[in-house]
Amino acid sequence: MSKVLPIFHYFQFRGRALASRVALFNSLGKDGWTDKRISLPRFKKFPNYNAAIFNFVVDIDAGSDELAGIRWFEIRQDGDNMPWTVYQEGTYTSPDGKHAWMASMNWDSNGNIAMGYSAMAGPTTSDPTDFRVGSYYTGRFDGDELGVMTAIEEVIAVSTANVPNTRYCDYNKLELDTDGTTFWFIDEYINGSRKGVVGVFQLAPPQADDIGVSSITNPNNAKTKHAGSTLLAIDIDNDNDKDLVLGDVSYNNLNLLINGGDNQNAVMTSVDSVFPQNNSNSIAANMHVYPATYYLDVTNDGIKDLIVTTNSQNNSENFESCWLYENVGQTNNPDFNFVQTNFLQSDMIDLGKSAFPSFYDYNNDSLLDLVVGNYGYHVANNDPISSLALFENTGTKDIPKYELIDRDWQGISTVNLNLNLNIPALNISPTFGDLDSDGDKDMLLGDSDGKLHFFTNQAGNFTITAPNYFSIDVGYFSQPQLVDVDRDGLLDIIIGEQDGSVNYCPNSGTASIAAFDTIIKNWGGIDVDTNYISTGYSSPKLIDSNGVYQLFVGSYTGTIYQFTNIDGNLNGQFSPIYSTATNLWDGGKCAFALADINNDNQPEMILGNLSGGIAFFISDSLLNDTTIIPVNTLNNKQTNFSVFPNPASNKITIESNETGIIKIKNLLGKTIYKARKSNYLLEINTSQFANGIYILQLNGMSTKLLIQ
C-alpha cells in the first residue's frame, strides 16, 4: 500500500457533515484511510446521482526514494440518503519522474474531471533545473477508462527558481466557470519571488470516446494578482490635495495616481507607471519586489525627499535596495533627482538573509576572528546563495577591530551539501571545535534541511569529510554548537531547530574519533516557539561562567532566553531566568556568538538577525549577574525606557520611571558619558559626540543610539 508523505501541506476535509464523513470512511472500508489528510474535496449533484471527489499525496516509489503522486477517488450515491460507494479510484503519476502533489479537482457540466496540481523534479530527474516547481493540470472525460487521468499533462507556469523555504502552495484551487465548461485554476510558482498564477482551460474532446486529448484550450492571460500594496499620500502637483503613490507586492515599479478631485472627493484621473522619472535628472524606481515609498527630509535642507525601498525582507536585493531621490523642488511641489541606489546601505554590513555568527581564530594570531553564515544572498530569479563571511580581527587584544575580507570563505557556496538534489545547502550555521584531536579546530555546519556537515581542518583549509554527519537530522534549520556538555573532555553537540526546541548529541567516541549515535530531543524542556507553529528557530549557546554552565537561546521573535540549573541535571528541566540578555533585541531570528574579545574578563556578544545584519553588545555582568529575576516576576519589573529623538544631533531626552546611572558607550565598549538619572526626564547634550552608533544603558536595559 502507498504511504502518505509527511513533507507536504494539505487541506483538511471540509465535506457536508462530520457524521457523513465518518459513515463514508466506514462504508469504504479501506485500511488507513481514516488517518489521511484530504485535499479540498468536492461534492456535486448530477441529474441521476450525487458524487464527491477527493485526493491526497502518496509516495509511489517502491524503493527507498520518495516520489510524490496523487491518489484520487470518486464516490457516488444513486440519490440523497442512499449509500455511498467507490465509483472509481486511481493514482496519478506525473510524466518525466516528477513529484506531483497539492491537487485540486472539479467536474464540468458534462461530467469530465479536471485536476490542477503542483509538480517538480523528482529523485530520478537527471537535472532538477529541467523541472522546477510549477503549475500543471490534467483530466479525464466522462466515459473514459475508470481510474485513469487520460488527458495529457499541460503546463500553466513553471518557476525560474526553487522554492525558497519549506512552505509552498497552500492556497491553490480549481473552480468551474458559470459557463459550465471552463476551469479556472489558481496556483503558485516562483518568478523572482512567490507569485500567483491563474490558468484558464477546458476539457474539450473532439469525440465522445477520447483517450488522451487532441484539443485543449491552453491557459492564457494568466496574471499575477495580490492584495498587498504600499501607499504614500503626497501633494505632487501643488494643488492642495493628496495624490497617491502605489506599490504592489507583485510588481517592481511605482504608480503615481493623480488626484483630479480634491481632499474630500478624490478622483484619480491619470496614472504614471514610471514614477518618479522626470526630464531633469531622475530615473524610474525599479525594486526587485514590493516597492515602498517614504517621504522625509534626509538631506537636512528642510525639504522632504523620497526614499524607495522594498517592503519584503525575504526576496529583496541585498546591497542596492534603498534608493534616494533628493527633492530639489518644494515639499508640496517636488522635483526628484535620483542620487543613489544604496542610501545608508553603503555604510552597513549586509549578509543577505539571516546571519549566524561564530568566533574562530582563522590565522592563529591569538585574536578571535568572526565567521558568519547566512540563509543566502539574494539572486534575481534564482535560489539564494548561502556562504560564510570572514571578518578578520585586525585590532589588538584590548581593542578588537573587524574587517570583512571574504564573503564566500572556503567556497562553501559551491559545495554540494544537499545530497538529494546535489546542490549547495541553504541556511549555513557554523561552529568550530577539534573533533579529531590534531590540535586545530574543525568545522561543523548546520543547514535548512536540519542536517549537519563535517569539515576537517587541513592547515587552515576546510575539506568536507562527512556530509550528513552521522545521519543527524533535527527536522529543519539546524543551528549547532560544539561544546563539552557533560565535562568528560569530549566535544558534544547541541542543536537548535525550527520548532524551537534544543537537541543534545553526546559524544560516545574518543578524543581522536568522535561518535554521535544518540539524539536527545527536547533537551532541558526548552521551547522558544511562542506561537506553537514550528517557528521558534532556536539558536543555543552553552557558556561556562566560573565553572557553572548557563545556556542562552536565540529565537525567531528576537528574544534571547537564558537558562540555569544545567550542571548535574542534563536529563532534567532547565530553569529560565530574567537577566540582561533577555532584555536585548536587535531583530528577529536572532543567533549570536559569545566571547571575551576585549580582554575585560566579560563576554561580548555578536548578534545576527533575520535581515542579515550583525550588532555588537558588551556587558558588565552578562554571566555573573547576581540580581537575576525569576521569569514569573518579570511582569512586576518596570521596563519603560524611551530615548528621543533617535537619531539625534544636538541633544537627547531619556524618559523612564527608573532612576540610576546612565552610561553611553561606543561600539568598542568604552564609556564616553556617564550621569545619574534621578528624575523622570533627563536631557543630555550630544553635540560633541562624533557621528555613529552608540549603546545607551540604564539599570541593565540597553538601546541603540544613532548620532548624525
Side-chain angles (χ1 to χ4, degrees):
M1 183 177 179
S2 29
K3 60 183 180 181
V4 177
L5 289 176
I7 57 176
F8 301 113
H9 300 276
Y10 318 101
F11 286 101
Q12 294 279 8
F13 187 101
R14 294 187 176 93
R16 292 287 236 179
L18 179 60
S20 299
R21 180 190 180 195
V22 173
L24 168 63
F25 283 131
N26 289 338
S27 68
L28 292 174
K30 298 291 185 178
D31 293 340
W33 277 25
T34 56
D35 65 350
K36 289 179 170 55
R37 304 188 73 184
I38 311 300
S39 291
L40 196 60
R42 292 286 188 178
F43 177 87
K44 187 176 182 69
K45 292 182 71 70
F46 289 90
N48 300 317
Y49 61 92
N50 301 324
I53 49 176
F54 51 92
N55 70 87
F56 49 83
V57 65
V58 295
D59 182 5
I60 59 177
D61 187 90
S64 59
D65 291 328
E66 291 183 336
L67 178 64
I70 300 166
R71 184 69 172 164
W72 63 275
F73 301 84
E74 181 182 13
I75 59 175
R76 293 185 179 183
Q77 61 177 178
D78 294 333
D80 294 344
N81 301 315
M82 299 294 290
W84 288 94
T85 59
V86 178
Y87 177 70
Q88 61 176 322
E89 59 182 289
T91 301
Y92 179 73
T93 303
S94 183
D96 303 308
K98 299 194 298 294
H99 294 291
W101 79 100
M102 208 60 198
S104 180
M105 304 176 69
N106 212 335
W107 300 268
D108 64 14
S109 58
N110 298 316
N112 305 320
I113 296 176
M115 181 170 72
Y117 55 95
S118 293
M120 63 179 293
T124 62
T125 307
S126 58
D127 185 359
T129 62
D130 290 343
F131 300 104
R132 298 193 186 274
V133 65
S135 178
Y136 297 81
Y137 72 89
T138 183
R140 66 179 312 278
F141 300 97
D142 189 35
D144 285 351
E145 177 186 355
L146 295 178
V148 180
M149 292 293 169
T150 54
I152 301 172
E153 179 184 82
E154 295 285 342
V155 61
I156 296 174
V158 176
S159 298
T160 59
N162 292 335
V163 181
N165 53 41
T166 58
R167 178 177 174 179
Y168 178 77
C169 197
D170 294 40
Y171 308 113
N172 68 354
K173 192 176 184 182
L174 183 68
E175 290 289 352
L176 182 66
D177 198 287
T178 54
D179 65 7
T181 59
T182 303
F183 293 100
W184 296 73
F185 181 52
I186 185 169
D187 201 12
E188 184 179 9
Y189 77 120
I190 308 297
N191 186 3
S193 61
R194 292 179 179 272
K195 296 188 183 316
V197 63
V198 179
V200 185
F201 63 94
Q202 293 180 336
L203 296 178
Q207 56 198 41
D209 191 23
D210 188 359
I211 305 298
V213 178
S214 301
S215 177
I216 289 185
T217 302
N218 288 319
N220 58 79
N221 298 324
K223 296 184 181 292
T224 302
K225 298 292 185 183
H226 199 285
S229 299
T230 61
L231 302 172
L232 172 66
I234 177 176
D235 186 1
I236 203 76
D237 50 9
N238 199 27
D239 62 353
N240 296 316
D241 59 38
K242 296 294 186 181
D243 309 292
L244 191 65
V245 179
L246 178 68
D248 188 86
V249 67
S250 301
Y251 302 106
N252 61 341
N253 61 299
L254 293 169
N255 291 278
L256 171 64
L257 282 65
I258 296 297
N259 184 2
D262 52 44
N263 282 331
Q264 283 71 43
N265 297 286
V267 180
M268 301 304 174
T269 57
S270 64
V271 178
D272 179 6
S273 62
V274 292
F275 180 79
Q277 182 173 302
N278 57 36
N279 295 322
S280 54
N281 183 31
S282 193
I283 61 174
N286 186 4
M287 283 295 109
H288 174 69
V289 64
Y290 210 170
T293 49
Y294 302 88
Y295 202 39
L296 65 166
D297 181 16
V298 298
T299 56
N300 296 315
D301 61 357
I303 301 172
K304 292 184 178 181
D305 310 291
L306 187 73
I307 298 292
V308 183
T309 187
T310 178
N311 202 43
S312 171
Q313 64 182 6
N314 296 326
N315 299 299
S316 58
E317 207 280 336
N318 300 123
F319 308 111
E320 295 183 336
S321 56
C322 189
W323 291 27
L324 169 62
Y325 293 85
E326 183 181 8
N327 187 357
V328 297
Q330 301 298 318
T331 296
N332 288 336
N333 190 21
D335 182 9
F336 295 121
N337 282 356
F338 172 76
V339 178
Q340 64 187 112
T341 61
N342 59 350
F343 177 63
L344 298 179
Q345 291 175 298
S346 59
D347 301 318
M348 294 181 178
I349 295 172
D350 194 331
L351 299 170
K353 181 182 178 182
S354 299
F356 310 106
S358 183
F359 286 112
Y360 169 66
D361 183 8
Y362 93 101
N363 53 3
N364 295 313
D365 63 354
S366 299
L367 299 177
L368 287 177
D369 309 295
L370 190 64
V371 178
V372 188
N374 65 359
Y375 182 88
Y377 293 108
H378 172 77
V379 179
N381 303 319
N382 213 326
D383 288 338
I385 297 177
S386 295
S387 60
L388 297 175
L390 174 63
F391 293 82
E392 182 181 353
N393 187 350
T394 60
T396 66
K397 177 178 66 175
D398 299 320
I399 304 176
K401 181 181 179 182
Y402 288 92
E403 179 181 349
L404 176 63
I405 63 173
D406 195 344
R407 287 188 178 272
D408 191 15
W409 184 60
Q410 301 293 323
I412 298 300
S413 68
T414 63
V415 181
N416 292 338
L417 298 178
N418 188 323
L419 301 183
N420 290 330
L421 299 178
N422 198 34
I423 59 175
L426 292 174
N427 209 80
I428 298 299
S429 179
T431 183
F432 299 87
D434 188 1
L435 284 173
D436 52 13
S437 194
D438 63 351
D440 54 29
K441 290 187 176 182
D442 309 297
M443 180 170 65
L444 198 63
L445 298 182
D447 70 9
S448 60
D449 291 327
K451 298 180 173 56
L452 302 179
H453 311 283
F454 178 64
F455 290 74
T456 302
N457 189 340
Q458 299 177 343
N461 296 312
F462 289 89
T463 303
I464 180 66
T465 303
N468 196 8
Y469 190 49
F470 281 93
S471 299
I472 295 171
D473 189 344
V474 299
Y476 295 106
F477 295 93
S478 56
Q479 296 193 48
Q481 181 196 10
L482 286 167
V483 58
D484 184 5
V485 175
D486 54 10
R487 302 185 185 274
D488 64 350
L490 302 178
L491 289 176
D492 310 296
I493 311 174
I494 58 174
I495 314 168
E497 61 167 298
Q498 180 179 344
D499 73 1
S501 64
V502 175
N503 306 269
Y504 168 41
C505 300
N507 189 347
S508 61
T510 65
S512 57
I513 304 176
F516 302 96
D517 47 26
T518 302
I519 301 180
I520 299 174
K521 296 283 191 177
N522 301 310
W523 187 51
I526 296 169
D527 185 0
V528 298
D529 179 14
T530 56
N531 295 318
Y532 303 103
I533 54 174
S534 295
T535 56
Y537 293 90
S538 55
S539 176
K541 291 293 185 293
L542 186 65
I543 306 297
D544 188 311
S545 174
N546 296 324
V548 177
Y549 272 142
Q550 298 191 51
L551 180 66
F552 298 84
V553 184
S555 67
Y556 186 81
T557 63
T559 299
I560 299 174
Y561 297 84
Q562 186 174 352
F563 299 86
T564 60
N565 190 28
I566 300 166
D567 293 276
N569 187 36
L570 298 183
N571 297 318
Q573 302 288 301
F574 302 157
S575 301
I577 62 172
Y578 172 74
S579 71
T580 302
T582 60
N583 200 44
L584 299 178
W585 193 91
D586 197 69
K589 202 176 180 182
C590 64
F592 50 90
L594 291 165
D596 181 12
I597 57 175
N598 63 1
N599 200 33
D600 65 350
N601 295 317
Q602 292 290 338
E604 283 69 50
M605 176 185 290
I606 301 293
L607 183 65
N609 60 35
L610 180 61
S611 299
I614 53 177
F616 175 47
F617 290 91
I618 63 171
S619 177
D620 294 330
S621 58
L622 182 62
L623 298 182
N624 300 324
D625 193 346
T626 59
T627 61
I628 55 178
I629 302 172
V631 169
N632 59 9
T633 65
L634 176 59
N635 293 332
N636 297 324
K637 181 175 174 62
Q638 172 60 255
T639 59
N640 186 27
F641 179 37
S642 301
V643 180
F644 57 90
N646 192 5
S649 55
N650 296 320
K651 71 176 182 180
I652 60 172
T653 300
I654 301 172
E655 181 183 53
S656 177
N657 288 327
E658 297 227 358
T659 60
I661 300 297
I662 291 286
K663 293 182 181 180
I664 300 178
K665 300 183 178 182
N666 61 24
L667 291 184
L668 296 178
K670 182 180 179 180
T671 299
I672 64 171
Y673 180 88
K674 183 166 60 174
R676 176 170 293 280
K677 181 181 177 299
S678 53
N679 298 314
Y680 181 72
L681 296 176
L682 174 65
E683 287 190 356
I684 299 176
N685 184 355
T686 59
S687 60
Q688 303 303 312
F689 290 15
N691 291 345
I693 299 175
Y694 298 84
I695 305 299
L696 193 151
Q697 296 179 327
L698 171 62
N699 297 346
M701 298 179 290
S702 302
T703 189
K704 287 192 296 186
L705 171 65
L706 176 62
I707 302 296
Q708 61 181 25

